[in-house]
């Protein structure tokens, strides 16, 4: 199998080849690693590979999951694999090696996925771009002068460029959906509690963050959710599962739904014209598909919500950095943390317990305001971000002139529509339905009520059929014989 043949298949497609005996897992792994060599000089998305794993792969040595033998990459943030570095893309944690598998890593492995390396993220994950001082800028395969968003920017760049069909990602404020939109991928953030975050966390980032993946096709996201979903031992609660496997939702089409759409942000700037047009065109398509479509949006105090998000994130950053420092035996400081990270760390350490509880009270008020809206509507359609992927350097985590609050305001001036669903716990999915005049992907976000992944996946599959994107390929891709040098 060569790279051109390999890139024709999504994850389930490659797994079907393995199941039929048409290709061996070892061959798939070798081709994926070749793909890293082809595109990574231009993208800087993969920071480590494991070629020794490819050399020893056999079909018999892999679990019989839905993705048996499919190449895969893990993000250097959140989930860990025993014996693999876990540095949070920070100089503070340089050289740190995980001493255990998290439950999610076990499930990825049981699904048959083969981890071949680590992808980039911003330092500690608190950024809407993937440009750490530790590893440098990760570049968008559609235009290497543009950002991939964050924090799953390396994962999304690698999947969009055809290196792997599926890659681990997580989302605490939009970190699956934002990069998926910038890179032209499917980005599903499942319902809070749908996938496990143990044993290190009961509720990752106080419930804001959830672990999952990014894919090129809706069916891969659905099947992967089947493989990963369900509580882990010791999880704090169990949420209801679906009536049928999620992958079956892709084969059925939604009944008539009540669909709301809005391009009005709850805080921050109004979206750019092309993004507004993409959402409006999507709403028109939904109406043509037989759904009842209304322009409407839930109401809540956006500024209070943003301040609470800032406090909760900074408190967790302070706690997490202190934990990492204790493990690696280093003292946190400006010499090993980027300036905005350091500012958020210092602010987080200044917070009192009642400050955090006040933030949780705001979150509760927001959730109680938003939930009734989703009793009236099945789906809410919004922009993903307020602007097209901006140039590299727009969001500088090492900027000398931003304090902690300034950094938070700067970040969420871009991904304005994403963090709400981290707070409410609802599922949301980004789909690459449109492109800008100059060829950049435009993602559109769809949200459903708590536990409503089946609704979203049915909806997404119908839209994927109506506006297919799988044949679109970025400038930097494994099928191209050579890659241009990164734009300045």
């Amino acid at each position: 199998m060569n790279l051109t043949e390999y890139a024709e298949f999504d994850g389930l497609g490659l797994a079907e080849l393995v199941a039929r005996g048409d290709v061996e897992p070892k061959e798939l792994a070798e081709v994926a690693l070749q793909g890293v060599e082809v595109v990574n000089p231009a993208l800087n998305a993969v920071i480590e590979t494991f070629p020794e794993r490819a050399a020893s792969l056999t079909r018999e040595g892999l679990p019989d999951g839905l993705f048996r033998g499919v190449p895969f990459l893990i993000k250097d943030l959140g989930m860990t694999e025993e014996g693999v570095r876990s540095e949070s893309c920070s100089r503070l944690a340089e050289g740190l090696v995980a001493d255990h598998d998290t439950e999610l890593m076990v499930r990825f492995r049981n699904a048959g996925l083969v981890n071949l390396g680590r992808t980039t993220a911003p330092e500690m994950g608190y950024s809407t771009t993937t440009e750490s001082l530790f590893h440098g800028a990760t570049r968008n395969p559609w235009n290497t002068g543009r950002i991939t968003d964050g924090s799953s920017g390396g994962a999304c760049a690698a999947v969009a460029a055809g290196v792997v069909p599926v890659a681990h990602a997580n989302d605490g404020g939009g970190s699956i959906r934002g990069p998926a939109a910038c890179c032209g991928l499917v980005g599903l953030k499942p319902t809070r509690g749908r996938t496990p975050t143990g044993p290190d966390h009961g509720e990752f980032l106080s419930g804001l963050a959830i672990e999952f993946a990014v894919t090129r096709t809706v069916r891969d996201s659905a099947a992967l959710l089947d493989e990963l979903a369900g509580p882990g031992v010791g999880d704090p609660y169990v949420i209801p599962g679906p009536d049928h496997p999620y992958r079956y939702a892709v084969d059925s089409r939604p009944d008539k739904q009540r669909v709301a759409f809005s391009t009005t942000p709850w805080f921050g700037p109004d979206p750019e014209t092309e993004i507004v047009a993409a959402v409006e065109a999507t709403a028109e398509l939904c109406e043509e598909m037989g759904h009842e479509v209304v322009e409407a949006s839930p109401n809540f105090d956006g500024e209070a919500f943003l301040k609470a998000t800032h406090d909760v994130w900074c408190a967790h950053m302070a706690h997490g950095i202190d934990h990492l420092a204790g493990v690696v035996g280093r003292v946190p400081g400006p010499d090993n943390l980027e300036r905005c990270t350091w500012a958020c760390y210092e602010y987080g350490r200044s917070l009192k317990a009642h400050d955090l509880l006040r933030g949780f009270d705001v979150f509760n008020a927001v959730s109680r305001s938003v939930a009734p809206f989703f009793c009236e509507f099945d789906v809410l359609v919004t922009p993903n971000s307020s602007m097209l992927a901006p140039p590299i350097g727009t969001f500088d985590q090492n900027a000398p002139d931003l304090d902690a609050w300034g950094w938070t305001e700067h970040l969420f001036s871009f991904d304005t529509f994403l963090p709400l669903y981290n707070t409410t716990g609802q599922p949301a999915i980004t789909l690459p339905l449109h492109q800008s005049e100059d060829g950049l992907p435009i993602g559109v976000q769809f949200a459903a009520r708590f536990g409503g992944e089946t609704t979203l996946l049915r909806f997404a599959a119908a839209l994927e059929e109506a506006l297919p994107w799988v044949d679109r390929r970025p400038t930097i891709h494994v099928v191209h014989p050579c890659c241009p040098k990164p734009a300045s």
Side-chain angles (χ1 to χ4, degrees):
M1 175 174 278
N2 59 38
L3 280 168
T4 300
E5 294 166 334
Y6 169 81
E8 289 296 320
F9 297 93
D10 65 359
L12 288 176
L14 292 176
E16 289 164 9
L17 295 179
V18 171
R20 292 201 305 260
D22 294 343
V23 68
E24 291 297 320
K26 177 180 178 180
E27 186 178 0
L28 291 182
E30 290 171 344
V31 174
L33 291 171
Q34 182 185 349
V36 176
E37 294 178 2
V38 169
V39 302
N40 208 49
L43 299 181
N44 187 36
V46 182
I47 51 179
E48 183 181 15
T49 58
F50 311 128
E52 69 284 355
R53 296 186 179 185
S56 61
L57 269 181
T58 64
R59 182 195 308 265
E60 295 73 19
L62 291 170
D64 190 20
L66 291 175
F67 293 86
R68 188 182 193 187
V70 175
F72 176 68
L73 297 166
I74 68 171
K75 177 180 175 180
D76 188 39
L77 189 71
M79 184 186 77
T80 62
E81 179 181 4
E82 182 178 2
V84 172
R85 287 192 181 196
S86 181
E87 299 168 312
S88 300
C89 289
S90 175
R91 295 163 294 167
L92 174 69
E94 183 174 3
L96 178 62
V97 175
D99 60 5
H100 65 280
D101 286 337
T102 55
E103 173 63 23
L104 194 73
M105 185 66 231
V106 173
R107 295 189 188 188
F108 276 126
R109 189 180 297 118
N110 288 341
L113 291 159
V114 179
N115 179 24
L116 295 174
R118 292 187 297 144
T119 61
T120 54
E123 183 176 66
M124 304 299 168
Y126 195 43
S127 181
T128 54
T129 187
T130 302
E131 302 178 53
S132 71
L133 281 182
F134 193 24
H135 294 299
T138 296
R139 296 176 178 272
N140 194 315
W142 296 87
N143 180 334
T144 55
R146 302 297 185 107
I147 71 168
T148 59
D149 204 324
S151 62
S152 304
C156 287
V159 173
V163 173
V164 290
V166 177
H168 162 242
N170 40 40
D171 191 317
S175 291
I176 287 175
R177 293 159 289 154
C182 283
C183 295
L185 301 178
V186 177
L188 171 65
K189 183 202 80 69
T191 301
R192 179 183 300 135
R194 184 68 72 205
T195 58
T197 57
D200 302 319
H201 305 280
E203 288 191 309
F204 192 9
L205 197 61
S206 290
L208 297 183
I210 189 163
E211 298 270 17
F212 190 53
V214 290
T215 67
R216 291 198 292 268
T217 63
V218 174
R219 72 172 194 159
D220 271 2
S221 284
L224 191 59
L225 192 57
D226 284 329
E227 295 285 64
L228 302 182
V233 175
D235 279 0
Y237 51 79
V238 177
I239 65 173
D243 293 332
H244 304 286
Y246 292 112
R247 60 187 180 276
Y248 295 169
V250 176
D251 298 324
S252 61
R253 292 298 173 261
D255 297 328
K256 182 178 180 179
Q257 304 284 298
R258 278 186 55 78
V259 177
F261 78 96
S262 176
T263 59
T264 302
W266 298 292
F267 54 83
D270 290 332
E272 293 177 345
T273 302
E274 285 187 280
I275 292 174
V276 171
V279 173
E280 291 175 345
T282 302
E284 290 176 9
L285 176 59
C286 290
E287 196 164 39
E288 291 169 8
M289 295 167 68
H291 303 298
E292 180 184 350
V293 180
V294 177
E295 186 169 4
S297 176
N299 293 314
F300 59 90
D301 187 337
E303 293 304 322
F305 165 74
L306 186 59
K307 178 62 167 59
T309 299
H310 169 68
D311 286 354
V312 172
W313 260 97
C314 289
H316 276 273
M317 286 181 70
H319 174 68
I321 287 169
D322 279 341
H323 172 75
L324 277 178
V327 172
V328 298
R330 299 188 181 114
V331 177
D335 59 330
N336 53 34
L337 292 173
E338 296 175 40
R339 290 187 182 96
C340 293
T341 307
W342 175 246
C344 290
Y345 168 80
E346 289 193 301
Y347 175 71
R349 284 181 59 88
S350 76
L351 293 169
K352 308 296 184 184
H354 66 265
D355 295 319
L356 195 59
L357 294 174
R358 187 183 300 114
F360 294 154
D361 284 344
V362 173
F363 285 175
N364 178 64
V366 169
S367 296
R368 301 291 177 175
S369 298
V370 171
F373 181 87
F374 284 90
C375 293
E376 181 179 358
F377 294 98
D378 300 296
V379 175
L380 173 60
V381 184
T382 68
N384 200 79
S385 304
S386 63
M387 64 187 84
L388 299 173
I392 294 285
T394 300
F395 300 97
D396 181 5
Q397 203 162 348
N398 200 43
D401 56 344
L402 290 175
D403 61 9
W405 175 241
W407 177 239
T408 293
E409 283 192 307
H410 188 38
L411 296 184
F412 289 112
S413 68
F414 178 46
D415 286 334
T416 47
F417 293 87
L418 302 181
L420 172 63
Y421 305 114
N422 298 93
T423 292
T424 64
Q426 295 168 243
I429 191 169
T430 292
L431 302 176
L433 298 178
H434 304 279
Q435 287 185 293
S436 69
E437 288 185 2
D438 57 358
L440 289 174
I442 301 177
V444 177
Q445 179 177 235
F446 303 80
R449 62 182 60 100
F450 195 95
E453 287 94 334
T454 297
T455 296
L456 286 183
L457 290 166
R458 282 187 181 139
F459 221 83
L463 289 164
E464 184 179 33
E465 184 178 293
L467 293 174
W469 57 77
V470 71
D471 291 331
R472 297 180 200 153
R473 286 180 176 163
T475 304
I476 307 297
H477 195 274
V478 297
V479 301
H480 303 315
C482 63
C483 295
K485 293 180 181 180
S488 58

